[in-house]
Amino acid sequence: MAYNNTDEIYITIHKDDPEAFYAKIPYDKLPNIHRIGGKWMQSGKEWRFPLDDEIWAKFQKEFKEEFANGKIHKDIAFILAFEKRHKALDKFLKFKEVAMKDEPTEFGIEGVGLNGKNCLFNYQRWGVQCGLEVGDGFLIGDVPGLGKSLQSIGIAVERMNRGEIRNCLVICPASLKYNLLAEIEKFTSKKALVIGHKCKNKEEREKHWIATGYDFKIVNYEVVARDLYCEPKKTDNRISAWKAVLSSYDMLVIDECQYLKHHSSLRTLAVRSFNAKYRIGLS
């Protein structure tokens, strides 16, 4: 195993791994590295650390003397990545602070309401607005009963109103799919379909997968795995239009996303196959 033998420490970011920073560190600093939690990367002869504030705080503590003596060298890629991360985090924390106060807000969504009135509580409206601001993939982690599914529906409807998406696929446990259908029908004017409802075989389900004219489609994890993923070394039993289906949805809402905790499970592999631009996890 080779290490950096100088007494200088060089830090950078790799384009193909923006969630971590890499450092070339002298061999005699091995105990410090282990206390931080670095991983040795043989290919680049350097250490990998998650791009995380807690990890960076540990790094600064362990190499306090090197920082003081000017032996830490950060390239421009690292500096820019850290600035970008903190700007995004500051924006998120600002939304979170306002949402927790539940202050009145005028933010509403055309097409989401009940009996002519906006059905969202203030904290849910801020949740929707935050979801529209933070990016194309995130997790809504509210405790049960606070309206995660309604917030995700609101985000989807607002993106439809803006012309950013045409449709949304909601993936959920089988026990929740009709509850979600009821929420969409109760709080929006959008058209929704439960994939597999009253279908007797995959040929009938395929008609649901490729049917047009629906803003929302709802499907459970088992149907996704059965229809859209083929196990290696087994006969291909996917629906014939599976390639088109994987690219036909602009947004995914993944309810109870802890169902995808095993990276090699069929349901996880199937859900990851979708080419949707926007993804929201609910848990």
Side-chain angles (χ1 to χ4, degrees), residues 134-183:
V134 297
D136 53 10
F138 56 91
L139 173 72
I140 299 178
D142 293 343
V143 298
L146 290 186
K148 296 186 292 293
S149 57
L150 184 55
Q151 290 179 65
S152 65
I153 291 168
I155 293 169
V157 171
E158 180 63 16
R159 291 207 181 279
M160 291 177 191
N161 292 341
R162 296 179 179 184
E164 295 172 350
I165 64 172
R166 300 162 299 168
N167 52 33
C168 175
L169 178 67
V170 182
I171 304 173
C172 63
S175 60
L176 298 180
K177 57 186 180 182
Y178 290 104
N179 293 348
L180 285 161
L181 176 65
E183 283 202 3

Side-chain angles (χ1 to χ4, degrees), residues 17 19-23 37-41 46-50:
D17 187 13
E19 298 302 317
F21 67 93
Y22 290 75
K39 179 181 179 182
W40 174 250
M41 308 301 291
E46 57 194 344
W47 291 93
R48 180 187 186 276
F49 302 90

